[in-house]
Amino acid sequence: QKEVEQDPGPLSVPEGAIVSLNCTYSNSAFQYFMWYRQYSRKGPELLMYTYSSGNKEDGRFTAQVDKSSKYISLFIRDSQPSDSATYLCAMSPNAGGTSYGKLTFGQGTILTVHP
Amino acid sequence: GAVVSQHPSRVICKSGTSVKIECRSLDFQATTMFWYRQFPKKSLMLMATSNEGSKATYEQGVEKDKFLINHASLTLSTLTVTSAHPEDSSFYICSARAGLAGPQETQYFGPGTRLLVL
């Protein structure tokens, strides 16, 4: 079993739709949760960063973390064609120790928003 | 803020040659940089963790003599692929941890370097 599971998709939605992206994980030590967006042939761009459980909103993006279920989500409201990209979830354990700062990534979900 | 650059963006080389890739944090100091490898439609695979002024820590299965990492300053890390072979062809991405400039665990990624070994 992979430490982080993410449905690779592809996911295709019409413009204006609400997109829901999800990851599950097995390592209870993960405390920091991130979502990255990666356009084709480019490096990942940090979208959202969350520490521990809860919700965080930034414009059209909302990140949710449910540590009890080991489940994180990213919601995109009013999706736009420019949101078409691969979305990667990433996680990291507490600071300290040899795992400090190392990210474990999901496989990435390919999203296409069509006009 | 938190911009990371990589150079070159693309390189084509002959089998047996060595290739150096630079990773720079442009507007912050990065005590730690990370090197990843990404295959088409696959996620990022961490190769090594690079700490300024000390030896890099390599992930299991990554040959340290093949992938030489030098983190000479707080804004520059280099990855040298030695005696490159076609199977080394890949997309190499670096990241830098912002440390005091941002959330401690946040990594900012460079745009990547596409290596093609003929």
Side-chain angles (χ1 to χ4, degrees), chain B residues 13-34:
Chain B
C13 68
K14 293 181 179 180
S15 184
T17 60
S18 294
V19 175
K20 180 185 283 188
I21 302 170
E22 291 186 350
C23 176
R24 293 181 186 273
S25 57
L26 298 185
D27 51 2
F28 66 97
Q29 292 186 331
T31 55
T32 305
M33 289 183 172
F34 302 85

Side-chain angles (χ1 to χ4, degrees), chain A residues 26-114:
Chain A
S26 57
N27 188 346
S28 58
F30 289 142
Q31 296 287 341
Y32 299 84
F33 304 91
M34 284 136 281
W35 285 95
Y36 287 87
R37 176 174 63 195
Q38 186 177 24
Y39 293 111
S40 182
R41 299 174 182 269
K42 299 292 184 183
E45 169 195 8
L46 179 66
L47 278 179
M48 301 285 287
Y49 167 94
T50 309
Y51 170 69
S52 196
S53 285
N55 295 355
K56 186 173 185 179
E57 188 173 323
D58 184 1
R60 296 186 295 112
F61 299 91
T62 299
Q64 289 185 351
V65 175
D66 182 349
K67 290 188 65 182
S68 63
S69 302
K70 295 188 176 66
Y71 186 87
I72 71 170
S73 302
L74 177 70
F75 298 96
I76 307 174
R77 291 183 299 279
D78 187 25
S79 57
Q80 303 295 310
S82 58
D83 294 328
S84 299
T86 297
Y87 289 80
L88 297 151
C89 65
M91 313 181 184
S92 181
N94 268 329
T98 58
S99 297
Y100 179 62
K102 289 174 60 174
L103 294 178
T104 302
F105 282 88
Q107 187 177 350
T109 300
I110 300 171
L111 171 67
T112 301
V113 181
H114 51 86

